[in-house]
Amino acid sequence: MANTGLGTALRHWRDRVPPQAVGLPAGGRRRATGLRREELAQLAGISADYVIRLEQGRATTPSAQVVEALARALRLTQDERTHLFRLAGLAPPGPGTVPRHITPGVHRMLDRLTGTPVAVFDAAWNQLLVNPLYTALMGEWRGNDLNGVWRTFLNPNNRVRDTPDSRKALRTALVADLRRTAGHYPGDRDLRSLIADLRRHSSDFAALWESGGVGRHEAGRKTIDHPQAGPLTLDCDVLSVAGSDLRIMVYTAEPGTEDADRLALLGVIGTQSLGVEEERQRG
């Protein structure tokens, strides 16, 4: 049986999101003021064909991950997100799970920080949302590497320059932070699975996990070797969103420095490169 309620809701929410509100160009001939299906698919990380099938009621059992991604892309409120889960025949995430809802206020904050690399993570360090400048600075992540702890321990191919001491300090802080999260959300199956996989695949993670440290990862100073802009030494601050346990990672450069100049340059060349890549993929 076609799930027309889900399709109707998706079309309504898609129509009310202006493309410029999510960093997409508003120009060109558009039949509606809201997002195109292809644009929603791009933002949610799913295929345009699947969005069409959802809206037409031909796809009736989207996964919780897909529903969560659609809720973020459509900038739904907490109540709307809960309604979307129920329309999809799923139980909304309960209080014992890691919060992954991004509030409209956090979305608006990112909209205004266009000249600053910003990423939003949940308390398990799953990357939920980034702005174009963050992607230009750090590169684009996929799969397991969307989790910050996973790529810190298991992906050596990143742009951050480190030393044995800085690597140890970061890993210790992240494991202590993840242990704190595990204590707050003991019923989260995805979190338990992440920890089990990390312990199985990384002996360094397993040893740090056994040490029992608990804490928060809050700040640092990093040098990023960018292939076009060159090395940038930036302050990395992690801000907490009250009531949601989201972490907003913000990279800034000291004003008047060469790092600030290179970050400004990256805002031009990096986002241009991303635009060219998006056009290539569409073509």
Side-chain angles (χ1 to χ4, degrees), residues 20-24 42-43 72 75 102 106-121 127-141 146 151 159 226 234 247-252 263 266-267 270-272 274-275 278:
Q20 61 269 28
V22 293
L24 296 171
Q42 175 188 343
L43 292 167
R72 284 197 295 271
R75 301 193 168 200
I102 299 179
V106 172
H107 277 292
R108 289 191 294 270
M109 186 187 306
L110 263 70
D111 292 341
R112 286 159 175 75
L113 293 174
T114 55
T116 303
V118 184
V120 181
F121 296 83
Q127 181 179 298
L128 303 179
L129 185 67
V130 298
N131 67 0
L133 191 53
Y134 179 91
T135 302
L137 176 69
M138 304 301 290
E140 189 169 6
W141 304 105
L146 285 168
R151 66 177 182 249
R159 296 173 179 174
H226 192 274
L234 306 173
R247 286 87 189 279
I248 302 178
M249 183 174 286
V250 183
Y251 285 89
T252 57
L263 187 58
L266 183 59
T271 52
Q272 282 180 344
L274 290 173
E278 288 176 1

XYZ file of all heavy atoms in Angstrom, residues 20-24 42-43 72 75 102 106-121 127-141 146 151 159 226 234 247-252 263 266-267 270-272 274-275 278:
490
model
N 18.596 28.973 -1.344
C 19.676 29.783 -0.779
C 19.849 29.541 0.717
O 20.925 29.790 1.273
C 19.451 31.279 -1.058
C 18.169 31.858 -0.475
C 16.999 31.793 -1.434
O 16.954 30.911 -2.290
N 16.058 32.722 -1.313
N 18.805 29.030 1.379
C 18.898 28.758 2.816
C 19.809 27.576 3.113
O 20.280 27.432 4.241
C 17.507 28.486 3.396
N 20.066 26.730 2.121
C 20.935 25.568 2.324
C 22.203 25.677 1.487
O 22.872 24.686 1.219
C 20.191 24.252 2.010
C 19.084 24.022 3.016
C 19.628 24.260 0.588
N 22.532 26.901 1.060
C 23.772 27.131 0.347
C 23.753 26.791 -1.120
O 24.810 26.658 -1.747
N 22.550 26.657 -1.703
C 22.431 26.349 -3.127
C 22.052 27.610 -3.899
O 21.362 28.479 -3.360
C 21.369 25.264 -3.355
C 21.676 23.889 -2.746
C 20.460 22.980 -2.853
C 22.870 23.254 -3.440
N 20.716 15.390 -2.845
C 22.118 15.754 -2.632
C 22.372 16.092 -1.167
O 23.357 15.637 -0.570
C 22.475 16.939 -3.515
C 23.880 17.483 -3.305
C 24.102 18.778 -4.067
O 23.360 19.131 -4.977
N 25.136 19.514 -3.678
N 21.510 16.874 -0.572
C 21.681 17.281 0.820
C 21.550 16.107 1.785
O 22.221 16.071 2.818
C 20.654 18.356 1.179
C 20.832 19.714 0.491
C 19.586 20.570 0.683
C 22.065 20.429 1.035
N 17.269 16.422 8.611
C 18.311 17.463 8.649
C 18.268 18.302 7.387
O 18.362 19.534 7.443
C 19.689 16.820 8.817
C 19.993 16.328 10.212
C 21.472 16.091 10.405
N 21.972 15.009 9.562
C 21.988 13.736 9.925
N 21.504 13.380 11.103
N 22.473 12.818 9.123
N 15.471 20.676 7.385
C 15.513 21.607 8.520
C 14.241 21.527 9.362
O 13.630 22.533 9.719
C 15.759 23.037 8.038
C 17.054 23.180 7.262
C 17.454 24.600 7.060
N 18.833 24.671 6.557
C 19.606 25.745 6.625
N 19.136 26.845 7.188
N 20.829 25.746 6.155
N 19.329 18.431 14.534
C 19.934 19.751 14.454
C 18.818 20.783 14.445
O 17.960 20.773 13.557
C 20.809 19.883 13.193
C 21.948 18.854 13.244
C 21.380 21.285 13.089
C 22.845 18.887 12.030
N 20.693 26.155 15.063
C 22.042 25.732 14.681
C 22.216 25.854 13.171
O 23.272 26.281 12.682
C 22.313 24.291 15.157
C 23.631 23.764 14.592
C 22.349 24.239 16.684
N 21.185 25.505 12.414
C 21.245 25.702 10.963
C 21.504 27.176 10.632
O 22.348 27.497 9.778
C 19.926 25.263 10.318
C 19.826 23.791 10.070
N 20.602 23.138 9.142
C 19.022 22.847 10.614
C 20.286 21.846 9.125
N 19.335 21.653 10.009
N 20.774 28.068 11.296
C 20.941 29.498 11.010
C 22.341 29.975 11.388
O 22.923 30.843 10.711
C 19.872 30.308 11.744
C 18.465 30.137 11.166
C 17.511 31.159 11.744
N 17.279 30.966 13.161
C 16.307 30.207 13.662
N 15.475 29.565 12.851
N 16.141 30.091 14.974
N 22.891 29.421 12.450
C 24.243 29.796 12.858
C 25.240 29.457 11.762
O 26.106 30.268 11.405
C 24.608 29.061 14.156
C 25.939 29.485 14.743
S 26.413 28.462 16.151
C 24.959 28.621 17.192
N 25.119 28.255 11.193
C 26.022 27.863 10.125
C 25.829 28.729 8.882
O 26.792 29.036 8.176
C 25.840 26.388 9.772
C 26.845 25.434 10.444
C 26.561 25.358 11.947
C 26.785 24.056 9.823
N 24.586 29.126 8.619
C 24.323 29.992 7.471
C 25.098 31.298 7.566
O 25.503 31.871 6.547
C 22.822 30.306 7.376
C 21.991 29.087 7.016
O 22.561 28.101 6.496
O 20.766 29.125 7.263
N 25.297 31.794 8.795
C 25.940 33.091 8.988
C 27.459 32.989 9.087
O 28.147 34.001 9.009
C 25.364 33.764 10.241
C 23.951 34.307 10.017
C 23.182 34.505 11.302
N 21.893 35.132 11.072
C 20.829 34.518 10.558
N 20.915 33.255 10.206
N 19.685 35.168 10.386
N 27.983 31.794 9.273
C 29.429 31.612 9.426
C 30.054 31.123 8.128
O 30.821 30.167 8.109
C 29.716 30.628 10.573
C 29.348 31.104 11.971
C 29.546 29.994 12.990
C 30.177 32.330 12.355
N 29.722 31.794 7.030
C 30.197 31.327 5.732
C 31.709 31.469 5.572
O 32.321 30.737 4.797
C 29.498 32.112 4.606
O 29.692 33.524 4.824
C 28.007 31.817 4.589
N 32.324 32.383 6.293
C 33.768 32.574 6.185
C 34.563 31.797 7.205
O 35.770 32.024 7.356
N 33.902 30.879 7.912
C 34.546 30.099 8.967
C 34.255 28.624 8.742
O 33.098 28.241 8.556
C 34.001 30.514 10.349
O 34.208 31.915 10.528
C 34.689 29.756 11.463
N 35.274 27.753 8.749
C 35.007 26.317 8.638
C 34.290 25.807 9.890
O 34.791 25.960 11.006
C 36.405 25.689 8.519
C 37.304 26.819 8.121
C 36.720 28.039 8.761
N 33.112 25.207 9.701
C 32.293 24.753 10.821
C 31.731 23.359 10.502
O 31.289 23.107 9.371
C 31.115 25.706 11.100
C 30.337 25.250 12.336
C 31.601 27.132 11.297
N 31.744 22.492 11.508
C 31.135 21.170 11.384
C 30.324 20.885 12.638
O 30.681 21.319 13.738
C 32.198 20.087 11.198
N 29.225 20.147 12.471
C 28.379 19.754 13.595
C 28.472 18.239 13.759
O 28.273 17.487 12.793
C 26.911 20.160 13.373
C 26.063 19.759 14.581
C 26.806 21.669 13.122
N 28.774 17.804 14.976
C 28.880 16.390 15.309
C 27.890 16.058 16.417
O 27.533 16.926 17.223
C 30.286 16.044 15.812
C 31.377 16.232 14.799
C 31.946 17.475 14.586
C 31.848 15.155 14.060
C 32.964 17.661 13.654
C 32.860 15.325 13.125
C 33.417 16.574 12.920
N 29.694 12.893 12.133
C 29.544 14.166 11.427
C 28.131 14.260 10.861
O 27.713 13.440 10.060
C 30.575 14.242 10.303
C 30.538 15.527 9.495
C 31.605 15.531 8.429
O 32.801 15.478 8.744
N 31.191 15.583 7.183
N 27.389 15.300 11.290
C 26.004 15.478 10.861
C 25.858 16.537 9.784
O 25.010 16.416 8.892
C 25.128 15.858 12.063
C 25.118 14.897 13.245
C 24.225 15.452 14.353
C 24.667 13.508 12.831
N 26.652 17.587 9.883
C 26.476 18.720 8.973
C 27.777 19.510 8.921
O 28.422 19.707 9.952
C 25.340 19.613 9.482
C 24.917 20.799 8.625
C 24.289 20.325 7.319
C 23.911 21.671 9.390
N 28.154 19.947 7.732
C 29.329 20.807 7.577
C 28.981 21.927 6.611
O 28.068 21.791 5.794
C 30.553 20.026 7.044
C 30.972 18.925 8.008
C 30.271 19.448 5.656
N 29.720 23.032 6.701
C 29.539 24.070 5.696
C 30.589 23.883 4.597
O 31.552 23.119 4.756
C 29.559 25.466 6.316
C 30.909 25.851 6.890
O 31.880 25.097 6.857
N 30.991 27.063 7.421
N 30.419 24.542 3.449
C 31.339 24.318 2.329
C 32.801 24.601 2.659
O 33.697 23.914 2.155
C 30.815 25.270 1.251
C 29.355 25.412 1.544
C 29.271 25.396 3.049
N 33.068 25.594 3.504
C 34.456 25.931 3.812
C 35.121 24.835 4.643
O 36.319 24.583 4.503
C 34.529 27.282 4.525
C 35.927 27.891 4.675
C 36.649 27.966 3.330
C 35.846 29.270 5.321
N 34.361 24.168 5.514
C 34.928 23.040 6.270
C 35.322 21.921 5.304
O 36.402 21.330 5.432
C 33.922 22.528 7.299
C 34.439 21.340 8.100
C 35.123 21.529 9.291
C 34.261 20.030 7.649
C 35.609 20.448 10.017
C 34.751 18.951 8.359
C 35.424 19.158 9.543
O 35.916 18.086 10.246
N 34.450 21.614 4.341
C 34.769 20.566 3.365
C 35.981 20.955 2.533
O 36.848 20.129 2.247
C 33.564 20.306 2.449
O 32.443 19.926 3.256
C 33.853 19.189 1.461
N 36.057 22.242 2.151
C 37.217 22.706 1.389
C 38.502 22.568 2.199
O 39.561 22.221 1.658
C 37.012 24.160 0.969
N 38.426 22.805 3.508
C 39.602 22.732 4.371
C 40.026 21.292 4.641
O 41.199 20.935 4.477
C 39.315 23.440 5.703
C 40.421 23.370 6.770
C 41.629 24.192 6.340
C 39.877 23.856 8.128
N 39.076 20.451 5.040
C 39.402 19.125 5.544
C 39.200 17.999 4.530
O 39.635 16.876 4.744
C 38.562 18.836 6.794
C 38.714 19.855 7.900
S 40.431 20.019 8.501
C 40.628 18.449 9.341
N 38.499 18.290 3.427
C 38.160 17.236 2.485
C 36.795 16.654 2.811
O 36.189 16.968 3.843
N 36.312 15.810 1.919
C 34.987 15.221 2.082
C 35.116 13.787 2.570
O 35.891 13.008 2.020
C 34.230 15.257 0.750
C 32.772 14.866 0.879
C 31.974 15.153 -0.375
O 32.597 15.555 -1.388
O 30.747 14.992 -0.355
N 34.342 13.457 3.609
C 34.414 12.127 4.210
C 33.186 11.308 3.826
O 32.106 11.854 3.631
C 34.504 12.231 5.734
C 35.658 13.058 6.207
C 35.606 14.322 6.702
C 37.039 12.688 6.204
N 36.865 14.763 7.026
C 37.772 13.780 6.726
C 37.729 11.539 5.817
C 39.145 13.755 6.875
C 39.104 11.511 5.952
C 39.807 12.614 6.480
N 33.015 9.209 8.342
C 32.168 10.296 8.828
C 32.176 10.371 10.350
O 31.730 11.362 10.921
C 30.736 10.129 8.320
C 30.526 10.492 6.842
C 29.163 10.015 6.373
C 30.667 11.992 6.640
N 38.018 7.896 12.091
C 39.070 8.321 11.177
C 40.329 8.747 11.919
O 41.428 8.649 11.366
C 38.568 9.412 10.235
C 38.207 10.737 10.840
C 37.803 11.700 9.719
N 37.482 13.027 10.195
C 36.268 13.552 10.190
N 35.247 12.840 9.740
N 36.055 14.764 10.627
N 44.507 15.596 6.404
C 45.364 16.752 6.139
C 45.972 17.366 7.393
O 46.748 18.314 7.293
C 44.551 17.816 5.392
C 44.079 17.356 4.026
C 43.131 18.360 3.388
N 42.708 17.917 2.060
C 41.794 18.538 1.317
N 41.193 19.636 1.788
N 41.476 18.079 0.138
N 46.969 21.972 3.358
C 46.006 21.976 2.265
C 46.738 21.899 0.931
O 47.741 22.599 0.729
C 45.136 23.231 2.322
C 43.945 23.150 1.417
N 43.994 23.513 0.084
C 42.675 22.711 1.651
C 42.813 23.312 -0.462
N 41.994 22.843 0.456
N 45.476 26.752 12.702
C 44.188 27.309 13.127
C 43.845 26.853 14.529
O 44.241 25.763 14.964
C 43.078 26.857 12.166
C 43.291 27.144 10.674
C 42.189 26.496 9.850
C 43.353 28.637 10.412
N 27.958 18.882 19.171
C 29.241 19.577 19.251
C 29.462 20.349 17.954
O 29.365 19.769 16.863
C 30.388 18.582 19.450
C 30.429 18.006 20.866
C 29.528 16.773 20.985
N 29.364 16.310 22.357
C 30.251 15.561 23.001
N 31.354 15.203 22.395
N 30.013 15.161 24.230
N 29.735 21.625 18.056
C 30.014 22.460 16.895
C 31.510 22.747 16.884
O 32.036 23.377 17.788
C 29.214 23.772 16.938
C 27.713 23.475 16.997
C 29.532 24.617 15.717
C 26.846 24.718 17.094
N 32.178 22.241 15.856
C 33.619 22.432 15.730
C 33.879 23.631 14.819
O 33.392 23.671 13.687
C 34.276 21.173 15.160
C 35.783 21.254 15.069
S 36.528 19.678 14.548
C 36.330 18.722 16.072
N 34.625 24.600 15.333
C 34.865 25.858 14.623
C 36.365 26.079 14.483
O 37.104 26.005 15.466
C 34.234 27.045 15.386
C 34.430 28.338 14.616
C 32.754 26.796 15.649
N 36.811 26.357 13.258
C 38.211 26.649 12.997
C 38.370 28.143 12.709
O 37.671 28.695 11.853
C 38.723 25.865 11.786
C 38.975 24.403 12.059
C 37.964 23.465 11.895
C 40.225 23.962 12.470
C 38.184 22.124 12.139
C 40.461 22.617 12.720
C 39.437 21.699 12.548
O 39.667 20.374 12.798
N 39.289 28.790 13.410
C 39.528 30.218 13.203
C 41.032 30.489 13.127
O 41.850 29.752 13.687
C 38.919 31.068 14.331
O 39.466 30.632 15.594
C 37.404 30.935 14.358
N 43.303 31.228 4.764
C 41.926 30.783 4.980
C 40.975 31.561 4.081
O 40.027 30.991 3.517
C 41.539 30.962 6.448
C 40.188 30.385 6.875
C 40.118 28.887 6.602
C 39.933 30.657 8.356
N 41.316 30.161 0.692
C 40.621 28.875 0.603
C 39.123 29.080 0.407
O 38.461 28.272 -0.259
C 40.882 28.062 1.873
C 40.284 26.657 1.910
C 40.817 25.812 0.763
C 40.586 25.995 3.248
N 38.586 30.161 0.981
C 37.173 30.450 0.794
C 36.810 30.705 -0.654
O 35.656 30.545 -1.051
N 38.732 26.946 -2.714
C 38.181 25.679 -2.239
C 36.734 25.496 -2.617
O 36.335 24.446 -3.124
N 35.918 26.509 -2.378
C 34.502 26.385 -2.699
C 34.279 26.379 -4.206
O 33.339 25.756 -4.699
C 33.698 27.528 -2.048
O 34.298 28.785 -2.387
C 33.689 27.387 -0.537
N 35.150 27.035 -4.989
C 35.055 26.953 -6.442
C 35.298 25.528 -6.912
O 34.590 25.008 -7.773
C 36.076 27.897 -7.101
C 35.674 29.357 -7.097
C 36.719 30.243 -7.754
O 37.864 29.829 -7.961
N 36.337 31.460 -8.073
N 34.783 22.804 -5.209
C 33.628 21.992 -4.853
C 32.504 22.193 -5.856
O 31.817 21.247 -6.241
C 33.145 22.345 -3.442
C 34.049 21.920 -2.286
C 33.514 22.491 -0.977
C 34.156 20.409 -2.201
N 32.309 23.442 -6.291
C 31.255 23.711 -7.262
C 31.513 23.019 -8.589
O 30.605 22.483 -9.215
N 30.726 19.338 -8.184
C 29.279 19.085 -8.186
C 28.722 19.124 -9.605
O 27.893 18.304 -9.981
C 28.570 20.101 -7.292
C 28.807 19.883 -5.807
C 28.167 20.967 -4.972
O 27.520 21.866 -5.565
O 28.329 20.945 -3.738
